[in-house]
Amino acid sequence: MKKSFIYITLLVTIRLALAQSVTVVDNTSLQPLPHAVIYSLQPPVSTTTNSRGQADISGFREADSIHFSFVSYQELVLSYDQVAAMKFRVAMIEKTYSLDEIVISASKFEEKRADVPQQIHVIKSKELQYMNQQTMADVMLQSGQVMVQKSQLGGGSPIIRGFETNKVLMVVDGVRMNNAIYRGGHLQNIITLDNAVMDKVEVVFGPGSVVYGSDALGGVMHFHTRSPVISDIEGQTLTNVNAFTRYSSAANEKTAHVDVNLGFRKVAFLSSITVSGFDDLRQGRNRNPFYGDWGKRAWYVGRINGVDSVIVNPDPAIQRGSGYQQYDFLQKIHFRPSGNVSHGLNFQFSTSSDIPRYDRLTQWSGASPKFAQWHYGPQNRLLAAYTLHLTEKKASYDVARLIVAWQQIEESRFDRRFQKNTLNHQIENLSIFSVNTDLAKKINQHELRYGMEGTFNAVASEAYTTDIRNGQKGPLSSRYPDGGSTYATAALYATHTYEVSPRVIVTDGVRLSQVALHSTFTDTTYFPFPIHEVRQNNRALSGNAGLIYMPGNEWRIAVLASTGFRAPNVDDLSKVFESVPGNVIIPNPGLRPEYTYNGELSLSKGFDERIRLEAVGYYTYYKNAITTNRWTFNGQDSIMYQGQLSQVTASVNARQALIAGTSWILQADVTSHFSITSSLNYTYGRLRTDSVNYPLDHIPPVFGKTSFVLKISQFRGEFFSLYNGWKRVKDYNLVGEDNFPNATPHGMPSWITLNARISGQLNRYLQMQMSLENILDSNYRVFASNIQASGRNFVIAIRGSF
């Protein structure tokens, strides 16, 4: 017995002596790279790193060379002695681009970016951390490929290829966010997504109706939150804590975040919380001399001794009435009982303080301000979802996923006229249930993906007034039918990819969608409609077909034809509200679905796998486009609404419209440590009429971004510029959602900002970040926005990872 014990001890000692662990990390952040591949050709040995970026390379002692490979990183080839000289800590440098990068949103399943014909932009977790932006809306604007409109600091409405709000689909963790009251104007729901806990964001440009159904006319923004990580080391619990605190000067922002991952062998937990506070935003002081006072906040409304009063703003650059607070919580549980079955629970809750509607608080009516109060109530988004994921070879699938989700949304609006005592309340509550089943099967060179989706929205809308002196309640017209509304969808889809050869890939897909809507008007006191309910049932068949040709020498050519479909929702058909002063939108029960027919061509050329130039051109024929136009009510073109004679407008179908555009993208690793990226986007849109074509609303001016990036050990620095061209008066839709009254008499001036940011990894655990945005303190406004953009903004953040 004693001899056996000595023998076993000796064997273990020898094995430990011979074993040698290497840790693979990112060059700038020093964070471990899990699942990096390590291999040698002679002898043929391979292994992968674990969740801590570690791997045993004792079997590589006799190898001529050791290859370290990780997706989207520059491959390293080292000898065993070189690895030893690095003290068995190998740092890898990320590439600027990689066609081998894995994307999910195009088909809902993992596939190489090179196999997708659509234009896709990916923002990974590391990039999100480095961008260090206040909200997800700011992230999208700084991408340089998505325009973002703002009506207030607490908002942001993305525009993709001339489509906005309910014509662009937002998805979080496989669950669609677009709901029955997503409006066609401008929408701020994107700020309910916490960019501090995102794993990555994928933007798929162009119609995505085959995979995602209604609303995906301009594109799909798919937001993937981080997943809990299960320990892959026997007997060890994987514990990771990430935290940061950030301050930015332009809005006196103070943000704190912490997330904790606790991983066991079969179950893992991820908990996250982010709290942000913003004071009133300071605009730039370096003004265009031709528009010297444009955008100045010279006054604001305050209440003195119970009376609304106009107060002189001591600093007109401070946009009084723009600050707010934001709170985001996430809890995820991942249970993996076996290697091919996993279960997930996903809970997200986002809420805020009251969010001032800044643009309304700057309006005048005659000789006095129009509003004393105008704010959104706390915007609440609750998501609870269960996911079942199966990976096993079956006759019908190799991979299968089921997502069952429930969402509870609350939105509210409050406004009070200047020197009036009546505060108006409009409150919307939505309960949303959805189920998605997606399956994938690979048969030789064919990949088949198919599934079904069903959603159900229940909308409850109420409104009332209160007297701010005594709290007495009174009646008020609700924004949506007070009898309630339902909006339901059902769909079947299938997509197919055929790898004809390593150089030719063919894709195709089809989707059958059914959309039903029912709204009931019970109180017609304010608008005596001749009808008491609205019912619609719409069906659509969507399809796409694509061809990818890679002739060699790093050329890639992709052609795509696709159709898009969007059924009118409750907001389109049934709402009553004031869009701009003196204009009231009323229901139009005869509204029809809108369709797009899109053609797209992309060409890209790589040079020595270090430089990539891509050009994308697209043309969209837009049928039955839903836009806002003048209307009549009971034969009258104007009615009294909230005490003001207002022009009657309604959502209507234009006969047809066209949208065309192009994007140019440069990504270049000039050296292993220095890179340049640049993007430029142009969109043209027109409504076709019997006489002269008229500008389509939501079409942004030319815009883009250029960056110069330096990456060296434990340091990353970037100097970049964001820029917009002019939006001239002749290109404005004066009755739509372009907000021309908030521009200058000549339109929206062009602008450019210069910006810089750096991050330094102090050690394995601590990182410091600093940014200086809008270095020249330029005063400008983004197209269709109603608030001036941030002036010079100093940002500092300290991040810890333990």
Coordinates of all heavy atoms in Angstrom, one line a residue, residues 36-85:
A36 N -9.2 30.1 -28.1 CA -8.2 30.3 -29.1 C -7.6 29.0 -29.5 O -7.4 28.1 -28.7 CB -7.1 31.2 -28.6
V37 N -7.3 28.8 -30.8 CA -6.7 27.5 -31.3 C -5.2 27.6 -31.3 O -4.6 28.6 -31.8 CB -7.3 27.2 -32.7 CG1 -6.7 26.0 -33.2 CG2 -8.8 27.1 -32.7
I38 N -4.6 26.6 -30.8 CA -3.1 26.4 -30.8 C -2.8 25.1 -31.5 O -3.3 24.1 -31.1 CB -2.6 26.4 -29.3 CG1 -3.0 27.7 -28.6 CG2 -1.1 26.4 -29.4 CD1 -2.7 27.6 -27.1
Y39 N -2.0 25.2 -32.5 CA -1.7 24.0 -33.3 C -0.3 24.0 -33.9 O 0.4 25.1 -34.0 CB -2.7 23.8 -34.4 CG -2.6 24.8 -35.5 CD1 -1.9 24.5 -36.7 CD2 -3.3 26.0 -35.4 CE1 -1.9 25.4 -37.7 CE2 -3.3 26.9 -36.4 CZ -2.6 26.6 -37.6 OH -2.5 27.6 -38.6
S40 N 0.2 22.9 -34.2 CA 1.5 22.8 -34.9 C 1.3 21.8 -36.1 O 0.5 20.9 -36.0 CB 2.6 22.3 -34.0 OG 2.4 21.0 -33.6
L41 N 2.1 22.0 -37.1 CA 2.0 21.1 -38.3 C 2.9 19.9 -38.2 O 2.6 18.8 -38.7 CB 2.4 21.9 -39.6 CG 1.5 23.1 -39.9 CD1 2.0 23.9 -41.1 CD2 0.0 22.7 -40.0
Q42 N 4.0 20.1 -37.5 CA 4.9 18.9 -37.3 C 5.6 19.0 -35.9 O 6.4 19.9 -35.6 CB 6.0 19.0 -38.4 CG 6.9 17.8 -38.4 CD 6.2 16.5 -38.7 OE1 5.3 16.5 -39.6 NE2 6.5 15.4 -38.0
P43 N 5.2 18.1 -35.0 CA 4.1 17.1 -35.2 C 2.7 17.7 -35.2 O 2.5 18.8 -34.7 CB 4.4 16.2 -34.0 CG 4.9 17.1 -32.9 CD 5.8 18.1 -33.7
P44 N 1.8 16.9 -35.8 CA 0.4 17.4 -35.8 C -0.3 17.4 -34.5 O -0.8 16.4 -34.0 CB -0.3 16.5 -36.8 CG 0.5 15.2 -36.7 CD 1.9 15.6 -36.4
V45 N -0.2 18.5 -33.7 CA -0.8 18.6 -32.4 C -1.7 19.9 -32.3 O -1.4 20.9 -33.0 CB 0.3 18.7 -31.3 CG1 -0.3 18.8 -29.9 CG2 1.3 17.6 -31.4
S46 N -2.8 19.8 -31.6 CA -3.7 21.0 -31.5 C -4.4 21.0 -30.1 O -4.6 19.9 -29.5 CB -4.7 21.0 -32.6 OG -5.6 20.0 -32.5
T47 N -4.7 22.1 -29.7 CA -5.5 22.3 -28.5 C -6.2 23.7 -28.5 O -5.9 24.5 -29.4 CB -4.6 22.2 -27.2 OG1 -5.4 22.2 -26.0 CG2 -3.6 23.4 -27.1
T48 N -7.1 23.9 -27.5 CA -7.7 25.2 -27.5 C -7.7 25.7 -26.0 O -7.6 24.9 -25.1 CB -9.2 25.1 -27.9 OG1 -9.9 24.2 -27.0 CG2 -9.4 24.7 -29.3
T49 N -7.7 27.0 -25.9 CA -7.7 27.6 -24.6 C -9.0 27.5 -23.9 O -10.1 27.4 -24.5 CB -7.3 29.1 -24.6 OG1 -8.3 29.8 -25.5 CG2 -5.9 29.3 -25.2
N50 N -9.0 27.5 -22.5 CA -10.3 27.4 -21.8 C -10.8 28.8 -21.5 O -10.4 29.7 -22.1 CB -10.0 26.6 -20.5 CG -9.0 27.3 -19.6 OD1 -8.8 28.5 -19.7 ND2 -8.4 26.5 -18.7
S51 N -11.8 28.8 -20.6 CA -12.5 30.1 -20.4 C -11.6 31.2 -19.8 O -11.9 32.3 -19.8 CB -13.7 29.9 -19.5 OG -13.3 29.2 -18.3
R52 N -10.4 30.7 -19.2 CA -9.5 31.7 -18.7 C -8.3 32.0 -19.7 O -7.3 32.6 -19.3 CB -8.9 31.1 -17.4 CG -9.9 30.8 -16.3 CD -9.3 30.3 -15.0 NE -10.3 29.9 -14.1 CZ -10.9 30.7 -13.2 NH1 -10.6 32.0 -13.2 NH2 -11.7 30.3 -12.3
G53 N -8.5 31.5 -20.9 CA -7.5 31.7 -21.9 C -6.2 30.9 -21.8 O -5.2 31.1 -22.3
Q54 N -6.4 29.8 -21.0 CA -5.2 28.9 -20.7 C -5.3 27.6 -21.5 O -6.4 27.1 -21.8 CB -5.2 28.6 -19.2 CG -5.0 29.9 -18.4 CD -5.2 29.6 -16.9 OE1 -5.8 28.6 -16.5 NE2 -4.6 30.5 -16.1
A55 N -4.1 27.0 -21.8 CA -4.0 25.7 -22.4 C -2.7 25.1 -22.1 O -1.7 25.7 -21.9 CB -4.2 25.9 -23.9
D56 N -2.7 23.8 -22.1 CA -1.5 23.0 -21.8 C -0.8 22.8 -23.1 O -1.3 22.2 -24.1 CB -1.9 21.6 -21.2 CG -0.6 20.8 -20.8 OD1 0.5 21.3 -21.0 OD2 -0.8 19.6 -20.4
I57 N 0.5 23.3 -23.2 CA 1.2 23.1 -24.5 C 2.5 22.2 -24.3 O 3.4 22.3 -25.0 CB 1.6 24.5 -25.1 CG1 2.5 25.3 -24.1 CG2 0.4 25.3 -25.5 CD1 3.2 26.5 -24.8
S58 N 2.5 21.4 -23.3 CA 3.6 20.5 -23.1 C 3.8 19.6 -24.2 O 5.0 19.2 -24.5 CB 3.4 19.7 -21.8 OG 2.2 19.0 -21.8
G59 N 2.8 19.3 -25.0 CA 2.9 18.4 -26.2 C 3.5 19.1 -27.4 O 3.7 18.5 -28.4
F60 N 3.9 20.4 -27.3 CA 4.4 21.2 -28.4 C 5.9 21.4 -28.2 O 6.5 22.2 -29.0 CB 3.7 22.6 -28.5 CG 2.3 22.5 -28.9 CD1 1.3 22.2 -28.0 CD2 1.9 22.8 -30.2 CE1 0.0 22.1 -28.3 CE2 0.6 22.7 -30.6 CZ -0.4 22.4 -29.6
R61 N 6.6 20.7 -27.2 CA 8.0 21.0 -27.0 C 8.9 20.7 -28.2 O 9.9 21.4 -28.4 CB 8.4 20.1 -25.8 CG 7.8 20.6 -24.4 CD 8.3 19.6 -23.3 NE 7.5 19.9 -22.1 CZ 7.9 20.8 -21.2 NH1 9.0 21.5 -21.4 NH2 7.2 20.9 -20.1
E62 N 8.5 19.7 -29.0 CA 9.3 19.3 -30.1 C 8.8 19.9 -31.4 O 9.4 19.6 -32.5 CB 9.3 17.8 -30.2 CG 9.7 17.0 -29.0 CD 11.1 17.4 -28.6 OE1 12.0 17.6 -29.5 OE2 11.3 17.5 -27.3
A63 N 7.8 20.8 -31.4 CA 7.3 21.4 -32.6 C 8.2 22.4 -33.2 O 8.9 23.1 -32.5 CB 5.9 22.0 -32.3
D64 N 8.3 22.4 -34.5 CA 9.1 23.4 -35.2 C 8.6 24.8 -35.0 O 9.3 25.8 -34.8 CB 9.2 23.1 -36.7 CG 9.9 21.8 -37.0 OD1 10.7 21.4 -36.2 OD2 9.7 21.2 -38.1
S65 N 7.2 24.9 -35.0 CA 6.6 26.2 -34.8 C 5.2 26.0 -34.2 O 4.6 24.9 -34.4 CB 6.5 27.0 -36.1 OG 5.8 26.3 -37.0
I66 N 4.7 26.9 -33.4 CA 3.4 26.9 -32.8 C 2.6 28.0 -33.3 O 3.0 29.2 -33.3 CB 3.5 27.0 -31.2 CG1 4.5 25.9 -30.7 CG2 2.2 26.8 -30.6 CD1 4.8 26.1 -29.2
H67 N 1.4 27.6 -33.8 CA 0.5 28.6 -34.4 C -0.6 29.0 -33.4 O -1.2 28.1 -32.8 CB -0.2 28.1 -35.7 CG 0.8 27.8 -36.8 ND1 0.8 28.5 -38.0 CD2 1.7 26.8 -36.9 CE1 1.7 28.0 -38.7 NE2 2.3 27.0 -38.1
F68 N -0.8 30.3 -33.2 CA -1.8 30.8 -32.3 C -2.9 31.5 -33.2 O -2.5 32.5 -33.8 CB -1.3 31.7 -31.2 CG -0.3 31.1 -30.3 CD1 1.0 30.9 -30.6 CD2 -0.8 30.7 -29.0 CE1 1.9 30.3 -29.7 CE2 0.0 30.0 -28.1 CZ 1.4 29.9 -28.4
S69 N -4.1 31.0 -33.2 CA -5.1 31.5 -34.1 C -6.4 31.8 -33.3 O -6.8 31.0 -32.4 CB -5.4 30.5 -35.2 OG -6.5 30.9 -36.0
F70 N -7.0 33.0 -33.6 CA -8.2 33.3 -32.9 C -9.0 34.2 -33.9 O -8.4 35.1 -34.6 CB -8.0 34.1 -31.6 CG -9.2 34.3 -30.8 CD1 -9.8 33.2 -30.2 CD2 -9.7 35.6 -30.6 CE1 -11.0 33.4 -29.4 CE2 -10.9 35.8 -29.8 CZ -11.5 34.7 -29.2
V71 N -10.3 34.0 -34.0 CA -11.1 34.7 -35.0 C -11.0 36.2 -34.9 O -11.1 36.7 -33.8 CB -12.6 34.3 -34.9 CG1 -13.4 35.1 -35.9 CG2 -12.7 32.8 -35.2
S72 N -10.7 36.9 -36.0 CA -10.6 38.3 -36.1 C -9.3 38.8 -35.5 O -9.2 40.1 -35.3 CB -11.8 39.0 -35.4 OG -13.0 38.7 -36.1
Y73 N -8.4 37.9 -35.2 CA -7.1 38.4 -34.6 C -6.0 37.9 -35.6 O -6.1 37.0 -36.4 CB -6.8 37.7 -33.3 CG -7.4 38.5 -32.1 CD1 -8.8 38.5 -32.0 CD2 -6.7 39.2 -31.2 CE1 -9.4 39.2 -30.9 CE2 -7.3 39.9 -30.2 CZ -8.7 39.9 -30.0 OH -9.3 40.6 -29.0
Q74 N -4.8 38.7 -35.6 CA -3.7 38.4 -36.4 C -3.0 37.1 -35.9 O -2.7 37.0 -34.7 CB -2.7 39.5 -36.4 CG -3.2 40.8 -36.9 CD -2.3 42.0 -36.8 OE1 -1.1 41.8 -36.7 NE2 -2.8 43.2 -36.7
E75 N -2.8 36.1 -36.8 CA -2.3 34.8 -36.4 C -0.8 35.0 -36.0 O 0.0 35.8 -36.6 CB -2.4 33.8 -37.5 CG -1.9 32.4 -37.0 CD -2.4 31.3 -38.0 OE1 -3.6 31.3 -38.3 OE2 -1.5 30.5 -38.4
L76 N -0.4 34.3 -34.9 CA 1.0 34.4 -34.5 C 1.7 33.0 -34.7 O 1.0 32.0 -34.5 CB 1.1 34.7 -33.0 CG 0.9 36.2 -32.6 CD1 0.9 36.3 -31.1 CD2 1.9 37.1 -33.2
V77 N 2.9 33.0 -35.2 CA 3.7 31.8 -35.3 C 5.0 31.9 -34.5 O 5.8 32.8 -34.8 CB 4.0 31.5 -36.8 CG1 4.8 30.2 -36.9 CG2 2.7 31.4 -37.6
L78 N 5.1 31.1 -33.5 CA 6.2 31.2 -32.6 C 6.9 29.9 -32.3 O 6.2 28.8 -32.5 CB 5.8 31.8 -31.2 CG 5.0 33.2 -31.3 CD1 4.4 33.5 -29.9 CD2 6.0 34.3 -31.6
S79 N 8.1 29.9 -31.9 CA 8.8 28.6 -31.5 C 8.4 28.4 -30.0 O 8.0 29.4 -29.3 CB 10.3 28.7 -31.7 OG 10.8 29.7 -30.8
Y80 N 8.7 27.2 -29.5 CA 8.4 27.0 -28.1 C 9.3 27.8 -27.2 O 8.9 28.3 -26.2 CB 8.7 25.5 -27.8 CG 8.2 25.1 -26.4 CD1 7.0 24.6 -26.2 CD2 9.2 25.1 -25.3 CE1 6.6 24.3 -24.9 CE2 8.8 24.8 -24.1 CZ 7.5 24.3 -23.8 OH 7.1 24.0 -22.6
D81 N 10.6 28.0 -27.7 CA 11.5 28.8 -26.9 C 11.0 30.3 -26.8 O 11.2 30.9 -25.8 CB 12.9 28.8 -27.5 CG 13.6 27.4 -27.3 OD1 13.1 26.6 -26.4 OD2 14.5 27.1 -28.1
Q82 N 10.5 30.8 -27.9 CA 10.0 32.2 -27.9 C 8.8 32.3 -26.9 O 8.7 33.3 -26.2 CB 9.5 32.6 -29.3 CG 10.7 32.8 -30.3 CD 10.2 33.1 -31.7 OE1 9.3 32.4 -32.2 NE2 10.7 34.2 -32.3
V83 N 7.9 31.3 -26.9 CA 6.8 31.3 -26.0 C 7.3 31.3 -24.6 O 6.8 32.0 -23.7 CB 5.8 30.1 -26.2 CG1 4.7 30.1 -25.2 CG2 5.2 30.2 -27.6
A84 N 8.4 30.5 -24.3 CA 9.0 30.4 -23.0 C 9.6 31.8 -22.6 O 9.5 32.2 -21.4 CB 10.0 29.3 -22.9
A85 N 10.2 32.4 -23.6 CA 10.8 33.7 -23.3 C 9.7 34.8 -23.0 O 10.0 35.8 -22.3 CB 11.6 34.2 -24.5

